[in-house]
Amino acid sequence: MDESQNSNQYAEELLAWYDKHHRPLPWRQNINIYHTWVCEVMSQQTTLAVVIPKFSEFVKQLPTVYDLATCNEDTLRQLWSGLGYYARARNLKKGAVFIVEHLEGRFPQSYNEWLKIPGCGLYTAAVIASVCFHEKVACVDGNVTRVVSRLLALSKDVWSSSGQSVIRDFANSTISAERPGDFNQAMMELGATVCRKTKPLCLLCPLRSQCLASQRNCTELCPPQKPRRDAVDVELFALIIWRKSTDTIIFIERTKGFLANTVGFPLMSEIEVLEVKTTLKSLAQLQLVELPGTFAHNITHHRISGKALVVRVLEDSKSAAMEDLCQKLGLPQPFYWVENQAIATKLSTSLDKKIFKLFQIKQNYSNPI
């Protein structure tokens, strides 16, 4: 069998399997360029169980590229809450703004044109171009890398740029000319449901007879484990500044660090908290309470653990006085007073939700530090 016949066999067998076994995901029912773009960005490094309900709410609240381009940061954070890697949402909006301002709201029609959209990389451009415009260009993600490395029994140099080029070249050589979008989705579907990272279901694989890793009994070695950055342990203290008379709590905009461009509770190091405690002891209208329990969270190579401190404002201090207090505590400006009952709907990160849960546990805050 020559190379072209072999490539056609890969595509034919894979597509026959996909037609019968693919999952009925909401964005697959009717092809929509905007929906395809949103769902693919959401799905990067996030499980479909999390993505599906968030996708449905996102496109309901922001049904067009114009709505996305003009939505405010608070709305975007809320709609993205729980998906993680918030930079993806900011890049998605940057792309929408570009399309509205420079392309009059018209979506690019090809792979190369999509690559010009801010925040749109090789993978996303390939998915959109193949699914929406039937362009013969393969997309490569972790699932596709795993499938191809097993088909070719690649146990070394898979994750480097040269290794990814090998994967991409193979995918492009086998992609269906008639159904490139379905082929790409089928490769990703196969990797997600059958050719899994651990305990692959080889007996159910439509490409088993052509898989070199299966024939050589080295499936678990292909691909090799992806090199990972060592996680950094971080200890933080969350400051919950609570005005009792109005039952409101201060939120700040974070401008730096791994939680940059999110809104939530002030977060401090142990040294900063010691300075805060010293400052608060001289202010009679305030009471500081350390909540029992701790919070823990993992995000972008950081293992976070910490405690929550409640700064209870005993008097209905004027705005100027509160601004002076926040300045003394080293909090960034501006800050916002949010009603306690509305906080759950304002939080944009899972970390802040864990902190707020500690505060919600009924305490009388009667033991100041």
Side-chain angles (χ1 to χ4, degrees):
M1 182 182 294
D2 63 30
E3 185 176 347
S4 62
Q5 288 177 315
N6 194 45
S7 297
N8 288 339
Q9 187 177 353
Y10 277 120
E12 289 173 7
E13 294 180 355
L14 182 64
L15 288 170
W17 171 85
Y18 179 74
D19 289 340
K20 188 175 181 179
H21 297 287
H22 72 272
R23 293 168 293 181
L25 302 176
W27 47 85
R28 287 177 177 167
Q29 307 308 309
N30 296 293
I31 299 303
N32 177 297
I33 302 169
Y34 177 63
H35 288 185
T36 300
W37 181 28
V38 170
C39 81
E40 288 305 327
V41 174
M42 280 188 171
S43 300
Q44 295 165 23
Q45 299 177 296
T46 308
T47 62
L48 283 182
V50 175
V51 170
I52 290 173
K54 299 300 294 185
F55 166 81
S56 299
E57 183 63 19
F58 191 97
V59 297
K60 178 182 178 182
Q61 297 298 323
L62 304 175
T64 71
V65 68
Y66 294 96
D67 297 306
L68 174 56
T70 57
C71 77
N72 59 54
E73 284 295 313
D74 187 53
T75 298
L76 191 61
R77 288 191 192 98
Q78 290 306 309
L79 291 173
W80 206 265
S81 176
L83 290 167
Y85 301 96
Y86 182 69
R88 292 179 299 163
R90 294 197 306 274
N91 287 333
L92 191 64
K93 182 178 177 179
K94 286 178 183 177
V97 170
F98 183 90
I99 289 171
V100 168
E101 293 184 352
H102 298 278
L103 303 178
E104 299 180 343
R106 291 190 293 269
F107 290 109
Q109 304 289 299
S110 72
Y111 173 72
N112 287 329
E113 289 176 354
W114 269 100
L115 288 177
K116 298 175 184 177
I117 302 301
C120 185
L122 299 175
Y123 166 79
T124 304
V127 173
I128 297 171
S130 62
V131 171
C132 301
F133 305 108
H134 310 292
E135 187 172 348
K136 190 181 174 183
V137 54
C139 61
V140 174
D141 68 349
N143 285 320
V144 174
T145 295
R146 184 163 57 255
V147 170
V148 174
S149 1
R150 286 173 176 169
L151 286 172
L152 303 180
L154 302 177
S155 59
K156 296 180 180 178
D157 192 30
V158 169
W159 301 109
S160 67
S161 57
S162 60
Q164 287 290 287
S165 292
V166 171
I167 301 292
R168 187 171 287 103
D169 289 344
F170 178 85
N172 275 313
S173 72
T174 56
I175 190 171
S176 166
E178 293 76 24
R179 299 173 59 188
D182 286 343
F183 178 91
N184 278 333
Q185 293 188 89
M187 287 287 278
M188 293 185 285
E189 189 86 349
L190 187 68
T193 63
V194 174
C195 193
R196 304 181 303 192
K197 187 174 182 179
T198 58
K199 297 182 179 179
L201 306 175
C202 295
L203 293 177
L204 302 180
C205 180
L207 304 179
R208 184 188 179 198
S209 64
Q210 303 174 68
C211 179
L212 293 182
S214 178
Q215 295 170 19
R216 298 173 185 175
N217 198 29
C218 62
T219 305
E220 296 288 352
L221 302 178
C222 306
Q225 187 173 2
K226 189 175 183 179
R228 292 185 177 274
R229 287 171 49 189
D230 293 334
V232 177
D233 291 317
V234 179
E235 185 177 13
L236 293 175
F237 290 81
L239 214 56
I240 304 174
I241 304 176
W242 174 44
R243 186 153 56 186
K244 181 182 177 182
S245 60
T246 55
D247 196 19
T248 52
I249 292 173
I250 280 182
F251 271 14
I252 64 164
E253 290 187 0
R254 306 185 183 111
T255 58
K256 57 185 178 179
F258 50 85
L259 287 172
N261 299 300
T262 62
V263 172
F265 303 108
L267 299 173
M268 298 184 168
S269 67
E270 184 175 12
I271 294 176
E272 290 171 323
V273 165
L274 290 175
E275 294 175 357
V276 165
K277 289 179 179 180
T278 300
T279 300
L280 293 178
K281 284 181 180 179
S282 63
L283 302 172
Q285 78 274 26
L286 302 175
Q287 183 184 78
L288 181 64
V289 179
E290 184 173 307
L291 297 182
T294 60
F295 57 84
H297 191 69
N298 295 330
I299 183 172
T300 56
H301 311 296
H302 293 80
R303 286 191 298 260
I304 304 170
S305 61
K307 304 201 73 172
L309 304 176
V310 175
V311 178
R312 182 175 168 187
V313 183
L314 302 177
E315 301 173 6
D316 192 8
S317 303
K318 295 180 180 180
S319 296
M322 291 308 303
E323 288 180 8
D324 182 59
L325 168 65
C326 289
Q327 188 173 8
K328 288 180 179 178
L329 297 180
L331 303 185
Q333 299 288 335
F335 62 85
Y336 308 92
W337 285 106
V338 181
E339 292 184 1
N340 193 350
Q341 61 183 10
I343 284 180
T345 64
K346 298 288 185 182
L347 296 175
S348 61
T349 73
S350 298
L351 175 59
D352 286 300
K353 291 176 182 177
K354 292 175 181 178
I355 294 168
F356 186 53
K357 189 174 182 179
L358 288 177
F359 178 76
Q360 284 181 302
I361 297 173
K362 291 188 177 181
Q363 302 290 335
N364 57 19
Y365 311 117
S366 60
N367 300 308
I369 295 174

